[in-house]
Amino acid sequence: MTDSTHRPDHGSNEPQVRFENVQKTYDGEVLVVKDLNLAIEKGEFLTLLGPSGSGKTTTLMMLAGFESTTHGDIVLNGRSLRLVPPHKRDIGMVFQNYALFPHMTVYENLEFPLQCHKVEKSSREKKIADALAMVELTGFERRRPAQLSGGQQQRVALARALVFEPQIVLMDEPLGALDKKLREQMQIEMKHIHQNVGLTFVYVTHDQSEALTMSDRIAVFDDGVIQQLDAPEELYERPKNAFVAQFIGENNRLKGRITELTEGLCLVELPSGHTIRALPVNVTEVGQETTLSLRPEVVVVGATENDGCDDVFTAVVQEQIYMGDHTRVRMEVFGHDDFVVKVPRGAGLGGLEPGQEIGIGWRSGDCRALDAA
Amino acid sequence: MVATTGSHDVMRTADGVPLRIKLRRAERMRKVWAIALVAPLFVFLVVGFILPIISLLSLSVEDPDLTSGFPRTAELFQEWDGEGFPPPEAMTTFAEELSIADRGQFGRAAKRLNYDISGFKSMVKKTARKSEELALLPPDQIHDGFIKIDKDWSDPAYWYAIKNASDYYTDYYLLWSLDLQRDKEREIVSVSPDRAIYVDVLLRTIEISFAVTLLCFLLGLPIAYLLATLPTRISNLLLILVLLPFWTSLLVRTTSWLVLLQNEGLINDMALWMGLWNEPQELIRNRFGVYVAMVHILLPFMVLPMYSVMKTINPWHMRAAASLGAPGWKAFLKVYFPQCMPGVAAGTLLVFILSLGYYITPALVGGPGDQMTSYWIVQNMGRTANWGLGAALSVVLLLLTIVMFFIYNRFVGVDRLKVN
Ligand SMILES: Nc1ncnc2c1ncn2[C@@H]1O[C@H](COP(=O)(O)OP(=O)(O)O)[C@@H](O)[C@H]1O
Ligand SMILES: [Mg+2]
């Protein structure tokens, strides 16, 4: 299911990193990473996104050299990394817990990689100053990590991974320990830093909104397999399978069976007896089980036949949750009572009452027929 | 401020008691509790630690043998300037008190005098037998009377030795424990080389402690590192092995080394059988045996503090260092080891200080040249019953420990011993 045809074309050159049929097992019984093929382009911001335990960290650790590959090879700039120890890979890394050295000041933490890379003493100071300026921590040189807030420590860790100008910077859930507000702020900053330094960033997260915010491309992991590798818009708007659709963004799932299948359109019969028009994505034959995926925001509430919707059904309002900029409405339709729609503020639908019947509709292209899983 | 009526000037709780008083009462209860909880430990510390140290300190500066058994003699000898011979009335008093002293008083005094000049004891005994007649002699014949009993009484050194023992408070024992004494001019000088042993013993004590600490550190570091980095299942097993010695008595462990290392012991038999050497090697009753047994016994004290600190070190630091370009040895030296320092400091201090006071192990597996200060403390306090010297040696050992502690504090910093 790995897809390497969709990667953006950065020229005909060899990608910076190539995972070739990589497999990994820790215990000799379970494959944690299954036949991974992945090309990372120079200068891109690639995110590995997936639920906990899906093998993201393992993949990153194999690239950094802290875990061996059980099978297959990783190639950096056309050169196999098999026999290259971690400290010679020229890959910077930001760890989830930052791993700042507590006995060193911020300055010493940043000087450490420069020392290791034999950077002239004379040019160290400027590099460190530049790196600290980039993460907006100028003036914190003499502090020790314990004297910094979580967000500041995170920035130091980032500066330390960047200061020696590695080819690639790996980040394993670097924002996981920060509160929401700071996390969102850091996401934007990190994206700006990426644009400024032009290095390849490989970023691991289980937070889909974080992945959507920052990445050039996202590789969605599940169970040791890349389910889809695409740009954020593509991933959100055109998920290729039920897992991706459900993992990224909110999603109403309707199980059904294909009754008719043509190019670009299929008819799906639900257990409730309704028939829905949908876009066939990974269904191949009539009679097949399928999962329909409908994003809450594509559903038009109060729709009538002539609203440009291809399908219109009647739903019963169950509950409203006020979210500020929009209202989530839970409805009962097709025998499910967990059908969720989002009504933007100002849509003129203020007074929905529980028990009220209302029309819902959508364009058939927004309703995607995916695998049954 | 919001205007309040008179009765509200003082903040009160619901039952009308002013807040401040209520708070004080609550605090007082807490304090009483706190004191009650620490009181047993405090009493124990005073009785079991502070009082013994104080009595030790006083024992080391007291010289009661002559002053309590022969109080008037001591007084008169104290007044004598130490030149030539003491005045006749001092001699007469000495003879009188010799004649009335009970066995215990006499024995202690004779033993004390014998410290300064060996053979003095029998001379005093001989004199005591005739002391009654001696005491009756007129002042101008008293000295001759003494000389008639033993001609050594014509040597002023013996008379001076009595004066030397006549001060209740004395630095005699403390000087002795450092191989020093006062000469006739009250100047501090070294004792004769054949009597000088304690400085050597002290230096040896430091040397052995230092070597044991170093060996423990070198052996303990990899063990602690393994314990801290291996998976819990294996490291728990290893930890039990490290702790096992703690569950066995010190004496058992030391004697088992005796059994292992002796000429017909397991080690020698094995080595002979494997052809490592051709005749039994002396593995015991020498420094080698002392080091083996002491390191074995003290190793847990080094490993445990290091382990407890290493366990708190984020294992990702080594990986972070590698990702920043540091080869393994550099990551260890620059990143890992500095973070172990509190544990290393605690471990080395503990082992060093415990070594300084080691007794039973060197006594059992060491030769005569491997005995440490505590051996001589035991010798003096027990076998020869020289309490003053034993106490003085203890004081020297205590001071040495304190000095070591401060030197250590200066270089390592005891505040770094904190395990956070
Ligand atoms: N060092 C390890 N030893 C054994 N199993 C491991 C180890 N690290 C990870 N795993 C297992 O591998 C799977 C993938 O883990 P990981 O790569 O950490 O996933 P993710 O980072 O996506 O949460 C998990 O089931 C985890 O239990
Ligand atoms: Mg992970």
Side-chain angles (χ1 to χ4, degrees), chain A residues 66 87 91 95 100 102-103 117, chain B residues 317 319 322-324 334 339:
Chain A
F66 298 128
H87 68 275
I91 295 176
F95 297 87
L100 294 177
H103 58 296
H117 287 89
Chain B
H317 284 170
R319 291 182 163 191
S323 82
L324 297 170
K334 293 274 173 124
Q339 295 189 57

Side-chain angles (χ1 to χ4, degrees), chain A residues 61 66-67 86-87 91 93 95 97 99-104 112-113 115-117 160 164, chain B residues 314 316-328 330-331 333-336 338-339:
Chain A
M61 288 303 147
F66 298 128
E67 291 293 349
H87 68 275
I91 295 176
M93 184 144 188
F95 297 87
N97 44 37
L100 294 177
F101 306 140
H103 58 296
M104 298 184 190
F112 184 77
Q115 263 172 10
C116 291
H117 287 89
R160 188 178 68 174
F164 65 105
Chain B
N314 185 340
W316 290 92
H317 284 170
M318 288 292 273
R319 291 182 163 191
S323 82
L324 297 170
K330 186 164 190 172
L333 281 185
K334 293 274 173 124
V335 173
Y336 198 85
Q339 295 189 57

